[in-house]
Amino acid sequence: PIVTDFLDKTQPATKSRKEVYNFIISELNEVKDKLRRDVATPASYGKMTRGGAYMILAKMYLNAEVWNPEGGPKWAECIAVCDSIMAMPYIIESNWKTNFIPHNEVSKEAILSAVFKAGATGQQFNVAAYSLHQLDFIALQLNRRGQNGIAAMPSFVRTFDTTDRRYSGSFLIGPMIDPATGSIIMTAHNRPLIHTIDITMYDSDSDGWGWVNQEDGARCYKWDFEPGLSTSMENDVHIFRLADVYLMKAEAILRSGGDNGTATMLINRIRSRAFSDPSDLLSSVTLNDIYKERGFELAWEGYSRQDRIRFGTFLLPNEFKPYASDSKYLLFPIPQTAIDANNKLIQNPGY
């Protein structure tokens, strides 16, 4: 549905993807140059600015073929908006980790950020809880336990070059050492707490579900954990970063048949801070190179689903799903509670 009057209490009806897409494009174009222009400054940090609106517009154009198939590709429009963002006073930080340290508000690469405060009330940033094993806090010298939650897909971790700074900067892998004893921490099952890349599934059924040892899997290590952390994290989350603009422009150039040299330069600008050896820079790029580079640069940052749908890999089998998924999963279902409350809503196909 599209609702433009919050005083209108009538039930809104489902609109087509074309209508919703065109409405968002129209709204962004109307407001983008009316928003504050003091981007990349402490005063505008965490607020919607001209840069944030342009970034959303670039994302809309990048995904146009998926989100509005009737309208066709918008590669030239994406490139033009990326150029506008790159002309603003954002920078690619020389140290990639500046974007993820506890006080990462200093980053001039951040375009739009969700601001968090350690120990604050309400919804805060807690990836330390969501990903770490219950006993990792000993090795990392934290004062809070994890919940042994999310781990990275092994096949994805193995796409990284281990000399890439983003490999060790994104994943917690290997033995967890007790600093008091110098020994590997033992789990409650009396197994050494060693985070392996591989996640071994036992007694799996036809859908790939089974059980695993609790220490298996590379954990999220992208946002630095402050020593002694006992509450939620101080780190902000940069929803949009300038590095993504470089990656989007490179992709749009290749998809539109543009100059490979320009696309390669953009990708190497991002890779150059990730590698010490200039030989790790690329002499030319393919779409697959850009797909992988997006994964290296943006791991854990929430863009994998969009990227995999756009590149056609989202439905494919993987190590834990030995079958191709139904195309209905390219869209989320509308919650039944919403449909029960509004009979004008139409469920997405296949659900």
Side-chain angles (χ1 to χ4, degrees):
I2 298 174
V3 177
T4 58
D5 182 357
F6 293 104
L7 297 178
D8 183 358
K9 297 182 180 180
T10 59
Q11 299 279 30
T14 296
K15 299 293 185 183
S16 69
R17 298 180 77 168
K18 178 181 179 180
E19 288 175 288
V20 175
Y21 181 90
N22 288 337
F23 171 77
I24 295 171
I25 293 291
S26 175
E27 291 288 292
L28 288 168
N29 278 321
E30 182 179 339
V31 304
K32 70 182 193 306
D33 293 318
K34 298 177 182 178
L35 295 170
R36 58 191 302 161
R37 293 171 175 260
D38 58 336
V39 304
T41 65
S44 67
Y45 182 76
K47 300 177 175 67
M48 178 56 74
T49 65
R50 185 169 176 258
Y54 271 77
M55 188 72 178
I56 298 171
L57 191 59
K59 289 285 183 186
M60 294 295 294
Y61 289 140
L62 183 73
N63 292 285
E65 282 190 303
V66 175
W67 295 346
N68 181 31
E70 292 182 49
K74 302 291 183 185
W75 306 124
E77 291 87 343
C78 181
I79 293 168
V81 175
C82 288
D83 284 338
S84 294
I85 299 169
M86 292 168 67
M88 298 178 194
Y90 302 109
I91 65 169
I92 297 294
E93 290 287 351
S94 59
N95 184 347
W96 177 72
K97 267 294 185 179
T98 300
N99 294 296
F100 310 106
I101 57 177
H103 289 280
N104 53 347
E105 67 271 13
V106 300
S107 173
K108 300 299 184 184
E109 189 171 323
I111 295 174
L112 178 64
S113 303
V115 179
F116 297 106
K117 183 68 177 175
T121 58
Q123 185 64 48
Q124 296 297 321
F125 188 44
N126 281 302
V127 73
Y130 302 152
S131 186
L132 296 180
H133 183 274
Q134 294 95 328
L135 299 179
D136 282 336
F137 80 99
I138 299 173
L140 299 176
Q141 300 185 57
L142 310 179
N143 290 323
R144 65 167 302 170
R145 291 173 180 262
Q147 299 167 355
N148 204 32
I150 55 174
M153 292 288 283
S155 58
F156 174 59
V157 179
R158 292 192 185 282
T159 63
F160 280 71
D161 185 324
T162 57
T163 65
D164 186 334
R165 294 184 179 93
R166 298 169 297 188
Y167 174 74
S168 59
S170 295
F171 307 110
L172 182 66
I173 300 169
M176 298 295 102
I177 306 298
D178 185 339
T181 65
S183 300
I184 298 176
I185 298 165
M186 302 300 290
T187 71
H189 292 176
N190 201 34
R191 293 176 56 84
L193 182 53
I194 302 174
H195 291 308
T196 56
I197 294 175
D198 291 323
I199 301 173
T200 304
M201 190 78 70
Y202 297 94
D203 301 328
S204 57
D205 60 22
S206 59
D207 288 329
W209 290 99
W211 63 272
V212 302
N213 285 309
Q214 60 183 249
E215 68 275 7
D216 282 7
R219 307 310 165 99
C220 182
Y221 205 41
K222 192 163 196 174
W223 291 269
D224 290 356
F225 303 126
E226 209 161 8
L229 179 71
S230 59
T231 62
S232 57
M233 296 169 64
E234 182 72 22
N235 319 56
D236 299 331
V237 174
H238 300 323
I239 300 167
F240 298 137
R241 293 192 288 120
L242 184 61
D244 194 3
V245 179
Y246 280 63
L247 295 166
M248 288 194 294
K249 181 179 177 181
E251 180 182 338
I253 287 172
L254 282 199
R255 289 191 185 275
S256 60
D259 180 55
N260 190 282
T262 301
T264 302
M265 177 273 294
L266 292 164
I267 296 302
N268 281 337
R269 179 67 184 87
I270 303 305
R271 288 180 66 85
S272 63
R273 67 175 176 183
F275 292 93
S276 299
D277 191 338
S279 67
D280 288 307
L281 301 183
L282 304 176
S283 57
S284 65
V285 293
T286 64
L287 278 174
N288 189 52
D289 291 327
I290 294 173
Y291 175 62
K292 291 190 294 184
E293 196 65 33
R294 290 190 63 81
F296 303 149
E297 180 66 25
L298 301 171
W300 303 110
E301 293 185 56
Y303 290 105
S304 174
R305 188 177 192 276
Q306 281 182 21
D307 292 348
R308 292 172 65 208
I309 290 174
R310 195 171 63 257
F311 280 87
T313 63
F314 183 71
L315 302 175
L316 298 180
N318 60 51
E319 59 261 58
F320 302 122
K321 183 178 69 73
Y323 54 86
S325 297
D326 192 295
S327 61
K328 72 178 185 181
Y329 295 114
L330 295 175
L331 293 177
F332 287 110
I334 299 172
Q336 188 61 47
T337 52
I339 293 175
D340 291 342
N342 180 3
N343 62 12
K344 294 182 180 179
L345 297 179
I346 301 171
Q347 182 59 276
N348 285 325
Y351 292 102

